[in-house]
Amino acid sequence: MALYFSSRPFSGYTRETKRNYTTDLCLFFNFLWLRGKLWTQAVESDVESFQFWRQEAEGNPRHVGGAKWNRELAALNSLYEWAVKPRNAFILHNPIETREVVGQNGNVVAAPVLKDGDAKSSNVHWLTPRAYRRWVEVGLRGYTREGIPAPNWAGRLEDRNVAYANLLYSSGMRRLEGASLLTFEVPALKLEGGRYYVGRLAAAVTRSKKSRAFYAAAQVVGEIESYAESSRMLVIRKAQAAGRYERLHEIRLVTKVTHGPRRVVHWCDRDGVAGQTDLDLATADERMRFYTEGPRGPEPLWLWLNERGLPFQPHSWENVFAAANDRCRKVLAPEGKRLAVMSGIVEAPYLTPHGCRHSFALYMLVVLHHLMDERFGLTPEERRDYRLLYGDAWRMVQDLLGHANREITVKHYLAPVADLQLRSLLATAPGMQAGQAAAGPLDTVFARLAREAEGIQDIDDRMAVA
């Protein structure tokens, strides 16, 4: 196995994929060991039995969904495709049975027969704006059920956590995309104002490996700036006083960043060796090593830092969200109830970093329809012309999320509202009054969506935080 972990296919995966695949492979190896087999002795029936155990067996108390199984199957297929190659020859036959199918680009590809075609991730869920606000106030800010600060609350880097969650919710970034930002990649607030600020994600940290623009709300940009100037600077000063950065051997002091179509980071390491890295191609691991020379010594360029002043690992954000979910459950639903499925009303909102992305997609879809139907007052003919010129709301959301095709956006991110007539929903919403925030009328729309569509979490009016 050590040869596979150092092979070209495995070494090309992201750190998160490596960790996930290693866990998946260990689980399958344990399954085979209980059957008295090694991984090189597996046959098709073993993989079929493993799928049955993971998804259906009564003796397994924790079944997995289609998306999780497809990932495990991909991990197995990656290993066995490598092992069956002539230059490796660990096995003679790949136990993962495949068939030829037509890919997205019209080419014929081999796909595992056991792949779940109706996969739906168990992490797919949506929070309406007011449910999200409730989650932030209680889970990240330590508010009570009555909407006031808890007297015994001692939030650790509260401003960092709130700024990161709001960034994901307002921009639709993935966890790694938002987590690996460098300080100079965050748009700066301008005197002339503006509701949204545009930035750019490097190709290396996106799933598609293509650079794309992101839009962050002005309030979120302000929160990030406040964090950078307060608690972030505090942990940096403590780390400098403790000599923590001086003991790091693999840091790269950035001397210059060229701007323009191709941004290049010029740096110098501890040994005085100079180099340069295309910012668009800099991975998360490389970004963690970028530092700048500050007035009191080296400072990390990685935006989000832990309490020791070191880069906060992207996967650690899952723990932040899990702690917030746990607090929401204890404060808002002490009896353990979390979701009233039939009504769409939740007592304790539940959210993950990727759930922010799903919620952003839902919010943008409703807002874009609201703009076209209510504020712009477009007739059916005008809407048709608008779609021909700019694309419909679904296409706009697809572009914001960076999806390669519309099917992913509709099937996996906006499935609850894919078959709903948003125009009829918006027709029941109260009109937008001058100076009135959009959240008012849109809350009515989201409340109705939560009642009529599965998976959308909303809160009751009487539970809304002031």
Side-chain angles (χ1 to χ4, degrees):
M1 290 305 300
L3 291 176
Y4 170 66
F5 290 143
S6 60
S7 68
R8 184 173 181 179
F10 190 83
S11 61
Y13 296 138
T14 64
R15 175 183 292 189
E16 182 177 5
T17 300
K18 291 177 181 177
R19 183 174 62 250
N20 291 336
Y21 276 22
T22 302
T23 303
D24 298 337
L25 291 175
C26 288
L27 192 63
F28 182 63
F29 295 162
N30 289 338
F31 179 80
L32 291 177
W33 181 78
L34 293 174
R35 309 185 83 177
K37 286 187 174 184
L38 301 175
W39 70 274
T40 53
Q41 299 171 319
V43 296
E44 285 89 344
S45 59
D46 293 317
V47 181
E48 293 173 357
S49 299
F50 183 59
Q51 181 190 28
F52 177 76
W53 169 258
R54 295 294 284 151
Q55 293 194 285
E56 300 180 41
E58 293 184 2
N60 182 4
R62 299 184 65 179
H63 292 160
V64 299
K68 179 65 165 62
W69 164 250
N70 286 345
R71 194 195 76 187
E72 294 178 2
L73 189 62
L76 297 180
N77 196 40
S78 175
L79 167 65
Y80 284 112
E81 281 187 342
W82 169 85
V84 78
K85 290 181 178 179
R87 63 176 178 269
N88 300 321
F90 287 99
I91 57 175
L92 297 177
H93 176 67
N94 186 348
I96 310 297
E97 186 180 359
T98 61
R99 65 171 181 268
E100 291 186 343
V101 298
V102 178
Q104 295 179 357
N105 298 325
N107 55 326
V108 178
V109 296
V113 173
L114 295 180
K115 184 176 181 180
D116 194 328
D118 297 323
K120 178 182 178 181
S121 173
S122 59
N123 289 327
V124 176
H125 50 271
W126 299 258
L127 257 66
T128 65
R130 64 179 179 181
Y132 173 75
R133 294 192 296 269
R134 181 71 161 170
W135 181 85
V136 169
E137 296 298 332
V138 176
L140 297 181
R141 294 194 182 279
Y143 279 37
T144 66
R145 186 182 180 88
E146 290 72 30
I148 59 176
N152 60 344
W153 171 252
R156 297 170 53 190
L157 294 175
E158 174 186 317
D159 56 345
R160 180 201 68 181
N161 299 340
V162 172
Y164 176 80
N166 286 344
L167 175 65
L168 264 57
Y169 190 86
S170 75
S171 67
M173 292 185 191
R174 293 182 176 88
R175 182 189 67 188
L176 178 62
E177 294 168 349
S180 58
L181 286 175
L182 302 177
T183 54
F184 58 81
E185 291 181 303
V186 180
L189 288 176
K190 300 178 181 179
L191 292 177
E192 59 269 24
R195 296 186 61 184
Y196 280 87
Y197 289 81
V198 62
R200 193 146 201 92
L201 292 173
V205 300
T206 65
R207 179 168 295 180
S208 64
K209 302 307 176 187
K210 295 180 180 179
S211 177
R212 78 170 190 275
F214 70 87
Y215 298 86
Q219 175 187 346
V220 176
V221 174
E223 291 171 347
I224 294 176
E225 288 189 357
S226 297
Y227 156 68
E229 295 171 0
S230 55
S231 62
R232 183 180 187 275
M233 189 56 65
L234 178 62
V235 297
I236 288 177
R237 293 289 179 257
K238 289 181 177 179
Q240 290 172 332
R244 200 163 291 137
Y245 301 140
E246 299 298 333
R247 295 192 293 270
L248 298 176
H249 297 291
E250 296 186 353
I251 72 172
R252 294 175 173 177
L253 287 175
V254 175
T255 58
K256 181 177 64 173
V257 180
T258 62
H259 296 280
R262 181 172 175 265
R263 296 178 295 175
V264 178
V265 179
H266 297 258
W267 49 265
C268 182
D269 65 15
R270 289 288 195 194
D271 298 325
V273 178
Q276 60 184 45
T277 304
D278 190 327
L279 185 60
D280 213 33
L281 304 179
T283 65
D285 289 341
E286 291 177 296
R287 289 163 167 263
M288 289 185 192
R289 297 197 292 267
F290 287 154
Y291 282 69
T292 185
E293 190 65 47
R296 301 186 186 180
E299 298 178 4
L301 284 173
W302 186 270
L303 176 61
W304 312 106
L305 305 180
N306 60 25
E307 290 177 302
R308 301 181 70 242
L310 299 175
F312 194 65
Q313 296 286 343
H315 67 268
S316 296
W317 285 111
E318 297 287 352
N319 299 329
V320 173
F321 278 67
N325 292 332
D326 186 57
R327 174 170 172 76
C328 284
R329 179 186 57 81
K330 291 179 180 179
V331 172
L332 301 176
E335 298 179 358
K337 294 188 298 181
R338 191 182 76 190
L339 180 64
V341 178
M342 297 303 294
S343 65
I345 302 297
V346 300
E347 289 195 25
Y350 173 87
L351 190 62
T352 65
H354 209 67
C356 289
R357 183 168 161 86
H358 289 112
S359 301
F360 162 81
L362 177 66
Y363 176 79
M364 290 306 299
L365 179 69
V366 173
V367 167
L368 289 171
H369 274 278
H370 178 83
L371 290 174
M372 287 188 284
D373 287 350
E374 295 291 317
R375 292 190 63 183
F376 294 166
L378 300 182
T379 65
E381 293 76 15
E382 291 171 334
R383 283 201 60 163
R384 181 195 61 196
D385 296 338
Y386 188 92
R387 284 195 301 268
L388 291 174
L389 185 60
Y390 299 106
D392 61 8
W394 296 90
R395 176 57 188 270
M396 295 179 189
V397 174
Q398 173 191 332
D399 291 340
L400 288 170
L401 294 173
H403 285 158
N405 58 68
R406 176 185 174 125
E407 181 182 358
I408 297 176
T409 308
V410 176
K411 181 178 180 181
H412 297 289
Y413 281 73
L414 298 169
V417 294
D419 57 349
L420 295 180
Q421 295 296 324
L422 284 177
R423 186 178 178 87
S424 64
L425 289 170
L426 291 168
T428 65
M432 177 93 65
Q433 301 297 324
Q436 182 181 4
L442 289 181
D443 276 343
T444 304
V445 178
F446 282 113
R448 183 171 176 184
L449 283 175
R451 289 194 301 268
E452 298 185 7
E454 180 183 358
I456 300 177
Q457 303 175 51
D458 193 26
I459 59 173
D460 195 289
D461 288 327
R462 67 178 182 275
M463 295 179 63
V465 178

